[in-house]
Amino acid sequence: IIVSTITLPIEIDLKERLKEVESQVPLKFQGADQPCAGLGYSYVFERDPINFEFQKNEVFFSVSGGLGLDVNYCPGCHSLFGEERCITPRVYGSCGKKGEPQRKLITKFLTSIQLNKNFRLEAKTKLTTVKLIDPCQFSFMKINVTNEIEKTIQNELVKQEKEIDQQISSVSIRPQLISAWEELQRPITLYDLGYLYLQPKSIAFDNINFQNQKATSNLQMTLSPTVLTNKKTTVKKTTLPTAMQQPVSNKFELYIDVVATYDSLNSLINRSLKGKPFVIDKKTIYIDSASLFQVSLDTLGVKVSFSGYAKGVMYFKGLPTLDTLTQQLRVTNLSYTLSTKSVLLNTAKWLYTDKI
């Protein structure tokens, strides 16, 4: 069986989905760690709008913002009446707060996106960067708390990875493909020639690529197209199958089987020939009807009734062949017999061989 193949480009606009991601990520993050001994802190991070960049099948999320920090320090603690207390007065400090400009913090995510076999986007997000551009350093303790703060904020942002994945993975093109699949199974009218049934069989897709906030890919379908001269209600329809992920070539190849009934072909031939005049030696005959019949497995017969100058029936037989260059059906090795009450035609029928 020769498989027909068509490739369909698809495009998904991600603008609205990216807006949803933006709205789902909190504008403010707060955290704190207040042990009795050692370094304690609390922070507030207020983010700017998320910046999205696209490269092949990956999306980069860049989030920057301002950080405000309160810290305190206790060299050691002891227990007094069951309560932990600092052995010396606790030392306090802050940066990015109390009138100071907030410290600049940059975070980055990387999301890889694919289309799964059920035609839904599948995302995998990972936090790649948490960086304080101007870290907090307290001279009275000579302690740089940057690493601790970065680690805490990182833990908070990691929790957003799944939220981002869920938002992106809510995008599905399955409903649109179901509609397209059903439409491809409807018969296409070829006017007088009959109906084309594409009969899609399978579907595969290529990797997703991103450009200008749009996701693009190629879907490749295999089909078994058939032309039927009569509309057939028994052509079995199929549901949209699960997809295969494989390299997709840019193909559009249709190999079409043609199934024609004699009744439908006879109707076509009669529309073309019925009433058509033929002039032989200034005598005119008219085609009244024509019909096809099978002579043998590879031989076609044609019955032609005529009237006018003479009335009768001619029977042709020959080998039908398809000219692949001109796409015309020809009958070769043509022979005929003549049945008529005209003695003149019967005795002189060989004179008209060229005309016939």
Side-chain angles (χ1 to χ4, degrees):
I1 299 175
I2 300 177
V3 177
S4 297
T5 304
I6 60 173
T7 302
L8 304 174
I10 61 170
E11 183 178 274
I12 306 170
D13 195 331
L14 297 176
K15 289 181 181 177
E16 293 303 316
R17 293 296 177 179
L18 294 177
K19 288 180 182 178
E20 289 184 22
V21 172
E22 168 78 38
S23 66
Q24 292 295 324
V25 178
L27 294 173
K28 181 184 290 188
F29 297 91
Q30 300 182 71
D33 186 12
Q34 302 290 358
C36 180
L39 181 67
Y41 56 83
S42 63
Y43 72 89
V44 176
F45 172 62
E46 299 180 17
R47 71 170 180 85
D48 299 326
I50 301 174
N51 180 49
F52 298 97
E53 296 180 11
F54 300 88
Q55 183 177 339
K56 293 185 178 179
N57 70 323
E58 296 177 327
V59 182
F60 296 88
F61 302 78
S62 179
V63 185
S64 60
L67 178 71
L69 180 67
D70 287 312
V71 296
N72 61 79
Y73 181 76
C74 174
C77 290
H78 63 85
S79 179
L80 182 62
F81 304 113
E83 182 181 352
E84 289 271 281
R85 295 194 176 190
C86 186
I87 59 175
T88 64
R90 192 175 294 272
V91 181
Y92 294 90
S94 67
C95 66
K97 298 184 75 173
K98 300 177 181 178
E100 286 187 11
Q102 289 183 316
R103 304 301 198 207
K104 190 72 170 180
L105 177 68
I106 293 179
T107 63
K108 293 183 179 179
F109 294 88
L110 171 62
T111 299
S112 298
I113 302 177
Q114 290 295 338
L115 194 64
N116 67 22
K117 64 181 182 179
N118 292 315
F119 310 104
R120 185 178 294 277
L121 291 184
E122 205 168 71
K124 183 64 176 177
T125 301
K126 187 172 181 60
L127 179 68
T128 60
T129 303
V130 177
K131 183 70 175 177
L132 268 170
I133 302 302
D134 44 357
C136 298
Q137 184 170 347
F138 299 95
S139 58
F140 55 86
M141 289 185 292
K142 300 294 184 182
I143 294 176
N144 189 328
V145 298
T146 300
N147 291 338
E148 293 295 328
I149 300 303
E150 288 178 349
K151 187 185 299 183
T152 301
I153 294 176
Q154 180 173 335
N155 291 337
E156 291 295 323
L157 292 176
V158 164
K159 298 176 184 177
Q160 301 302 315
E161 293 176 350
K162 289 185 178 180
E163 182 65 36
I164 293 172
D165 289 345
Q166 288 174 359
Q167 288 297 322
I168 294 176
S169 298
S170 66
V171 178
S172 174
I173 62 171
R174 184 176 178 83
Q176 294 89 335
L177 287 177
I178 288 176
S179 297
W181 190 264
E182 291 176 350
E183 194 65 32
L184 286 171
Q185 296 185 88
R186 299 181 188 276
I188 301 171
T189 303
L190 301 178
Y191 301 98
D192 292 341
L193 296 178
Y195 302 88
L196 171 62
Y197 292 83
L198 290 174
Q199 300 185 99
K201 300 297 181 184
S202 67
I203 188 168
F205 58 86
D206 212 344
N207 291 330
I208 288 182
N209 286 298
F210 295 99
Q211 188 174 10
N212 299 326
Q213 295 191 351
K214 292 181 180 180
T216 61
S217 184
N218 289 311
L219 291 181
Q220 186 166 287
M221 291 185 181
T222 59
L223 313 99
S224 297
T226 302
V227 169
L228 301 178
T229 51
N230 290 332
K231 194 170 186 179
K232 191 174 181 181
T233 58
T234 58
V235 174
K236 187 177 179 180
K237 291 187 176 182
T238 60
T239 57
L240 179 69
T242 55
M244 300 175 291
Q245 187 173 16
Q246 63 185 44
V248 173
S249 57
N250 188 18
K251 285 185 177 180
F252 190 95
E253 299 174 339
L254 287 180
Y255 303 95
I256 303 176
D257 289 331
V258 179
V259 180
T261 63
Y262 282 111
D263 287 343
S264 61
L265 290 177
N266 291 341
S267 178
L268 283 172
I269 291 173
N270 277 295
R271 280 200 292 268
S272 299
L273 294 180
K274 189 174 182 178
K276 187 172 183 179
F278 287 87
V279 179
I280 302 176
D281 291 341
K282 298 182 180 180
K283 307 293 184 181
T284 302
I285 62 173
Y286 298 91
I287 303 296
D288 294 331
S289 65
S291 60
L292 302 176
F293 59 92
Q294 183 178 349
V295 177
S296 64
L297 189 61
D298 59 354
T299 303
L300 182 69
V302 184
K303 176 184 176 181
V304 179
S305 299
F306 60 91
S307 61
Y309 165 67
K311 186 174 182 179
V313 179
M314 296 194 72
Y315 294 91
F316 297 85
K317 67 176 181 178
L319 300 176
T321 58
L322 180 66
D323 188 323
T324 56
L325 292 178
T326 63
Q327 295 297 299
Q328 290 181 326
L329 183 67
R330 300 182 182 279
V331 181
T332 59
N333 299 325
L334 188 68
S335 62
Y336 72 94
T337 58
L338 178 66
S339 174
T340 177
K341 293 181 180 180
S342 172
V343 175
L344 181 61
L345 279 180
N346 275 314
T347 57
K349 61 185 180 182
W350 58 271
L351 295 174
Y352 305 108
T353 302
D354 292 341
K355 289 290 184 180
I356 291 172

